[in-house]
C-alpha cells in the first residue's frame, strides 16, 4: 500500500543521490557544479535549475554559472537580485 510506495520512493531517491555523489566526486571546479545541477533536475520535478553567483562588478545582479532548462544545459543569463526570490534570503551589506 501507501507504506510500500513511500519506501520505494525513498529508495529511488537514495539511489539517485548516490549516483549524483559518485559523478560529482570525480569532477572538479565548475564541472562538478554543472553535474550537480544536472543531477538535481533528474531528482526534482523542475523544468529549470541553475547555480548562480553575484556579478563581481555589480553585486546587485546574479549571473548563472550553469543553467538547465527542460533537462538540457543551455546558455546562462544575468538578472537583478532586487525583487527576485533570491533577494529574500540575502542580508543587506552581504
Amino acid at each position: 500500500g501507501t507504506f510500500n510506495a513511500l519506501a520505494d520512493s525513498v529508495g529511488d531517491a537514495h539511489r539517485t543521490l548516490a549516483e549524483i555523489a559518485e559523478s560529482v566526486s570525480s569532477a572538479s571546479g565548475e564541472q562538478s557544479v554543472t553535474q550537480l545541477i544536472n543531477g538535481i533536475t533528474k531528482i526534482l520535478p523542475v523544468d529549470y535549475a541553475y547555480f548562480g553567483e553575484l556579478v563581481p562588478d555589480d553585486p546587485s545582479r546574479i549571473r548563472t554559472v550553469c543553467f538547465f532548462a527542460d533537462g538540457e544545459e543551455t546558455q546562462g543569463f544575468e538578472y537583478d537580485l532586487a525583487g527576485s526570490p533570491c533577494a529574500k534570503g540575502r542580508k543587506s551589506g552581504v
Side-chain angles (χ1 to χ4, degrees):
T2 303
F3 178 78
N4 289 339
L6 179 60
D8 289 345
S9 177
V10 169
D12 290 345
H14 184 269
R15 281 187 291 281
T16 302
L17 285 171
E19 289 172 15
I20 291 170
E22 184 177 329
S23 69
V24 171
S25 69
S26 65
S28 63
E30 192 172 315
Q31 181 186 16
S32 62
V33 171
T34 300
Q35 287 180 348
L36 176 62
I37 299 304
N38 185 25
I40 287 171
T41 64
K42 293 176 181 175
I43 293 174
L44 302 176
V46 296
D47 294 325
Y48 308 101
Y50 68 89
F51 183 85
E53 65 182 356
L54 293 174
V55 175
D57 296 338
D58 185 358
S60 69
R61 294 184 59 76
I62 298 287
R63 173 187 306 140
T64 60
V65 174
C66 65
F67 174 55
F68 281 80
D70 299 319
E72 298 290 326
E73 188 171 12
T74 189
Q75 184 168 346
F77 57 93
E78 285 188 15
Y79 64 92
D80 288 324
L81 184 59
S84 74
C86 299
K88 293 179 181 177
R90 187 168 188 260
K91 297 177 184 176
S92 63
V94 175

